[in-house]
Amino acid sequence: MGKNILEFRHVGKKYGDNVVLKDISFDIEAGKFYTLLGPSGSGKTTILRIIAGFDDATSGDVYFDGQRINDVPANKRQVNTVFQDYALFPHMNVAENVAFGLQIKGVDKKTIQERVHQALHMVRLDGYEEREITAMSGGQRQRVAIARAIVNRPKVLLLDEALSALDHKLRVDMQTELRQLQRQLGITFIFVTHDQEEALAMSDQIMIINDGKIQQTGTPVDIYDEPLNHFVADFIGESNIVPAVMKEDYLVNINGQDFECVDAGMKTNERVEVVLRPEDLDITTPDKGKLVATVDTQLFRGVDYQITAHDLRNHEWKINSIHKTTVGQQVGLTFDPEDIHVMRYNESEADFDARLDSYEEEE
Amino acid sequence: MKKHSLKWSTIYLAFVFIILYAPIIYLVIYSFSAGKTMESFHGFSFQHYMDLFADTRMITIVINTLLVALLASLLATIIGTLGALAIKDSHGKWRNSLMSLNNVLMVSPDVIIGASFLIFFTVLGVRLGFISVLLSHIAFSIPIVVLMVLPKLNELSPTLVDAAYDLGASRWQTLTRVILPAIGPGIMAGYFMAFTYSLDDFAVTFFVTGNGFSTLSVEIYSRARQGVNLEINALSTLMFIVSLLLVISYYFISQHAGRRHHLVTVKEGDAQ
Ligand SMILES: Nc1ncnc2c1ncn2[C@@H]1O[C@H](COP(=O)(O)OP(=O)(O)OP(=O)(O)O)[C@@H](O)[C@H]1O
Ligand SMILES: [Mg+2]
């Protein structure tokens, strides 16, 4: 475990009577790429603004490098922000924008020039020093904003939906570049997005936020494979979420049919939900299938077919398959025990982790 | 059809401009006449200009007028810009009341403002003269400046200020290095407007000038009442040329500033 650069302890935020953040606690390890992922209005920007110091937490403590910083003003924090609208200074050219932070700190002219040059090189904008901001494209402006932030060598860089204004191709390019830049600089990045693909592609750690609460924290693989609850399973990737009953350890009953699974540590006959990812469902002949279903729709998406089908109990299934079927045809659906992921109702993240540890150690 | 209407509109426009500018041209031509009246042209001469430059009273008044205009617009620009910043920072009801107070001053007739200043100064026992004129000019110029600066402030993205703090700037540095330069064009426009309003104000000034002090508009008015003097024509011609130069220089300044100012709008568009 690395050192924690930033810690939130029971942070709450209210605007009047409107509770925006509820008891948020997390640790940010130095040098990693974190993503705050959540739907619109979930409180992502509010968390960033509290880290940067633009807004105060209503309750709770924020620690930076072990020091409580609730009362440290924004201009004294070793944190820099890349704003969603870039917030470049319109009356300055590219080099002046990037140099702003260093000038304020009173760094000497020669050093400023060197570091501005270096920062622009890192974001691949060599030679753009004298350009006016208007003469820059959206993607270039964004790089200027990044250069303006990293030139100050902050310990933590905050990026608020930094890529949302870009078109798909540029966005994917910038994702790779940002990730590279982060590794190169060794700075902790906290990246805000509501795009789950972006989060999965870029992060070391993802924090999923909904309704002012952290739902789950983990690596992209953990979160995708072992979502904690209905919200996370639904928000990350595509999924079939089905109510089920846990018969005993490693045996779950879905729609009256028993299936072997790899989850344990729950009460006998506990009501649970089961997640099956569409790409984990395979299509075979009806007699070989664990479930039998009739194909309703089929959509070709380039890499695979997106198929919907309904089973004998009229429950709808989403299947992603590289093999073509025919609409109206009866097919069998198979999956392996490890494709089933069981979720308990209202389980906290701590309880979930403890339960996982308890039965994984037994094996 | 289109061509036809275009032609008519051109003629109409030319007609309007001729009517607007004819009196000025008429006045300018007679300023070079050798005669004493504007009844007929008596041959070319600079006589009236010589008279004007020899008229020390008139020269003093011109200097006074310029001094009042420069000082009043400068102070009004400073106060008005600070006022606009304060209005921008205020919220809800308070903000609306401030805006309304500002607008009431904008629309109230000069005569009313002049009369109320006269009463105000008499009650306070302020001697009428340079100070009273200066104070009243500052007062009626402030709302103009506020009106020119506030829209520019509202155009600024609020994250611009956050960005300045984020990069380590203090409140003062944020104001002087980010906010003021970004609203610069609005401040310049406010200054020029205040300057021209002060320069040609008659109604307010008429009430608050004392015996020893006068400005151009008031002086020209009192001279014109005693019969037309072509020295006035010469003066008007010079003033016309000065205003023309002012307008042209303002155009070039705003062209230059506009190029940079344009960015703010573009940026906001992108953020949507
Ligand atoms: N200054 C404010 N005053 C009152 N309410 C606010 C203020 N700022 C944010 N909120 C509220 O706080 C909640 C969270 O806002 P926040 O901006 O953090 O959301 P977000 O997760 O960043 O959303 P988005 O993805 O749309 O940017 C929203 O319901 C919003 O209306
Ligand atoms: Mg946001």
Side-chain angles (χ1 to χ4, degrees), chain A residues 44-45 84 160-161 192:
Chain A
K44 306 179 297 287
T45 299
Q84 181 168 0
D160 193 354
E161 311 229 2
V192 160

Side-chain angles (χ1 to χ4, degrees), chain B residues 143-157:
Chain B
I144 302 167
V145 176
V146 171
L147 221 63
M148 302 301 282
V149 172
L150 204 54
K152 289 282 173 289
L153 267 179
N154 288 332
E155 264 176 28
L156 286 188
S157 148

Side-chain angles (χ1 to χ4, degrees), chain A residues 15 18 20 39-46 84 161 194:
Chain A
Y15 286 108
N18 182 13
V20 175
S40 189
S42 55
K44 306 179 297 287
T45 299
T46 309
Q84 181 168 0
E161 311 229 2
H194 53 233

Side-chain angles (χ1 to χ4, degrees), chain B residues 106-263:
Chain B
M106 270 312 284
V107 296
S108 42
D110 283 358
V111 183
I112 307 284
I113 296 181
S116 49
F117 271 121
L118 179 60
I119 296 164
F120 181 65
F121 288 133
T122 338
V123 168
L124 286 188
V126 176
R127 233 184 44 134
L128 295 185
F130 176 72
I131 294 294
S132 62
V133 172
L134 181 66
L135 286 179
S136 47
H137 278 217
I138 292 173
F140 74 67
S141 299
I142 290 173
I144 302 167
V145 176
V146 171
L147 221 63
M148 302 301 282
V149 172
L150 204 54
K152 289 282 173 289
L153 267 179
N154 288 332
E155 264 176 28
L156 286 188
S157 148
T159 51
L160 221 53
V161 174
D162 285 337
Y165 289 145
D166 189 65
L167 294 165
S170 62
R171 288 181 73 96
W172 175 249
Q173 285 168 323
T174 305
L175 181 69
T176 54
R177 296 196 183 194
V178 175
I179 299 176
L180 289 182
I183 60 169
I187 297 177
M188 282 305 281
Y191 178 79
F192 270 96
M193 286 287 275
F195 185 77
T196 48
Y197 267 70
S198 167
L199 209 57
D200 67 17
D201 176 74
F202 171 74
V204 176
T205 319
F206 189 65
F207 279 94
V208 295
T209 43
N211 275 335
F213 186 82
S214 189
T215 66
L216 257 182
S217 43
V218 175
E219 177 72 9
I220 291 176
Y221 170 74
S222 58
R223 286 196 188 191
R225 287 206 319 176
Q226 293 151 20
V228 184
N229 176 347
L230 290 192
E231 193 184 319
I232 304 286
N233 287 35
L235 181 63
S236 308
T237 304
L238 291 179
M239 283 178 68
F240 179 67
I241 291 168
V242 169
S243 350
L244 213 61
L245 289 177
L246 272 181
V247 169
I248 290 169
S249 62
Y250 176 69
Y251 173 77
F252 277 108
I253 289 172
S254 62
Q255 274 297 86
H256 174 77
R259 189 175 55 91
R260 281 175 167 235
H261 165 68
H262 184 60
L263 317 181

Side-chain angles (χ1 to χ4, degrees), chain A residues 49 52 54 74-77 79-83 85-93 96-97 100-105 132-135 138 141 148-149 152 165, chain B residues 156-171 173-174 176-183 259-268 270-272:
Chain A
R49 292 182 62 84
F54 307 136
N75 52 8
K76 297 276 188 296
R77 296 191 184 187
V79 173
N80 284 114
T81 308
V82 177
F83 292 85
D85 63 351
Y86 313 145
L88 297 173
F89 304 126
H91 55 284
M92 301 178 190
N93 66 22
E96 287 164 345
N97 261 286
F100 186 85
L102 297 176
Q103 272 167 358
I104 293 285
K105 289 192 189 72
E132 291 297 327
I133 302 297
T134 14
R141 282 183 208 182
R148 185 178 69 174
N152 303 292
Chain B
L156 286 188
S157 148
T159 51
L160 221 53
V161 174
D162 285 337
Y165 289 145
D166 189 65
L167 294 165
S170 62
R171 288 181 73 96
Q173 285 168 323
T174 305
T176 54
R177 296 196 183 194
V178 175
I179 299 176
L180 289 182
I183 60 169
R259 189 175 55 91
R260 281 175 167 235
H261 165 68
H262 184 60
L263 317 181
V264 181
T265 354
V266 169
K267 234 173 48 54
E268 291 211 328
D270 278 0
Q272 299 305 307

Side-chain angles (χ1 to χ4, degrees), chain A residues 13-20 46 49 55 58:
Chain A
K13 175 75 186 172
K14 285 186 203 168
Y15 286 108
D17 289 337
N18 182 13
V19 181
V20 175
T46 309
R49 292 182 62 84
D55 284 334
T58 318

